[in-house]
Amino acid sequence: MKLVWSPDTASKAYIDTAKTCKKFKESDHVELISAMTGGWNPRLIVEAWSSGSNITTSIGLGIAARHLGARYVCMVQNERSKLEYETSMKDHGSPVPELVVGEAKDVMARLPEVEFMVVDGRRKDSHELFRVARLSRRGAVLVCVNCMQRFMEGFRWDLVIGDKSRLVRSAVIPVGKGLVIAYVKDNRGSEKSSLGNCSRWITRIDQKTGEEHVFRG
């Protein structure tokens, strides 16, 4: 099985998020993320939130998760950030998702089969979070919000995800304070499945972005 796009759920998540977040400025990226989450129909949604960041992304993810009946986990860096997050969500009248506190590697070890992941680029461990994530065999969508210059310097998806997954496509979208999005597929078992296939798969790597393009020869 693999992640399959569902336009109906994407539309519902988008509309509900737009209604909820219409009072916020610069909410376009939230509506986009919510629609993407609903459309890809993930079973596990993980967010890595940063203290001092806007709470609207969490609101959008929560709306999408409720439409999907998916598990939604938000990672915060410490107990102070947890309290800040809980207070902000309650102030906006939004349910608080499942919260976990701790270092990236320790937390991600407890969250297997991640299918949709949103990381705040302001976090110092943003690169590490993507690197240690245990992604689903169905594939995964990885999103970085608030992509400041520090996050983008020297950043390449292929270096972050390593050989555990294959980058299918990626994009940089100039909404909010910048979005970087990648769709990756699982590499485990690919060698076995290719042995019985006489077609030849050809890969090309974009040297500037690190994006891998795969096509049948």
Side-chain angles (χ1 to χ4, degrees), residues 69-88:
R71 182 186 179 191
Y72 169 30
V73 179
C74 183
M75 301 170 53
V76 292
Q77 293 153 308
N78 49 51
E79 291 297 332
R80 186 177 63 180
S81 295
K82 179 182 178 182
L83 179 59
E84 178 187 344
Y85 182 91
E86 290 174 328
T87 301
S88 187

Side-chain angles (χ1 to χ4, degrees), residues 2-161:
K2 63 180 181 178
L3 292 179
V4 178
W5 181 259
S6 172
D8 183 56
T9 312
S11 177
K12 291 178 180 178
Y14 177 89
I15 292 172
D16 284 356
T17 302
K19 290 178 180 178
T20 303
C21 295
K22 62 183 179 181
K23 58 185 175 182
F24 301 114
K25 294 181 179 180
E26 299 182 359
S27 64
D28 289 352
H29 72 288
V30 179
E31 296 156 9
L32 173 60
I33 291 173
S34 182
M36 286 176 54
T37 310
W40 283 113
N41 194 25
R43 294 173 294 196
L44 174 58
I45 302 164
V46 176
E47 179 188 10
W49 186 76
S50 178
S51 177
S53 293
N54 199 302
I55 207 70
T56 51
T57 297
S58 296
I59 294 174
L61 289 173
I63 290 172
R66 290 193 291 277
H67 275 292
L68 297 168
R71 182 186 179 191
Y72 169 30
V73 179
C74 183
M75 301 170 53
V76 292
Q77 293 153 308
N78 49 51
E79 291 297 332
R80 186 177 63 180
S81 295
K82 179 182 178 182
L83 179 59
E84 178 187 344
Y85 182 91
E86 290 174 328
T87 301
S88 187
M89 287 292 281
K90 291 176 181 177
D91 285 348
H92 288 89
S94 296
V96 178
E98 181 180 345
L99 287 176
V100 290
V101 181
E103 297 296 326
K105 188 175 183 179
D106 295 333
V107 172
M108 294 311 301
R110 306 198 302 268
L111 298 173
E113 299 298 306
V114 176
E115 294 183 340
F116 200 97
M117 184 172 180
V118 180
V119 173
D120 193 320
R122 294 171 178 169
R123 290 181 60 125
K124 294 180 180 179
D125 59 354
S126 54
H127 290 198
E128 182 183 6
L129 282 162
F130 286 122
R131 184 167 56 252
V132 301
R134 300 168 64 189
L135 305 179
S136 170
R137 290 180 179 270
R138 296 205 305 160
V141 177
L142 308 177
V143 181
C144 182
V145 298
N146 297 322
C147 294
M148 299 180 294
Q149 186 65 27
R150 184 190 65 79
F151 175 87
M152 294 302 296
E153 287 179 354
F155 180 81
R156 283 178 50 177
W157 280 114
D158 60 326
L159 297 179
V160 171
I161 62 177

Side-chain angles (χ1 to χ4, degrees), residues 161-182:
I161 62 177
D163 58 2
K164 64 183 178 182
S165 300
R166 170 170 52 85
L167 180 65
V168 178
R169 63 179 66 91
S170 64
V172 178
I173 303 178
V175 295
K177 295 185 178 179
L179 288 181
V180 178
I181 303 170

Side-chain angles (χ1 to χ4, degrees), residues 186-204:
D186 182 67
N187 262 345
R188 292 165 289 185
S190 60
E191 181 178 351
K192 180 179 178 181
S193 63
S194 65
L195 292 177
N197 193 333
C198 61
S199 300
R200 186 165 64 98
W201 290 96
I202 301 172
T203 63
R204 291 288 183 269

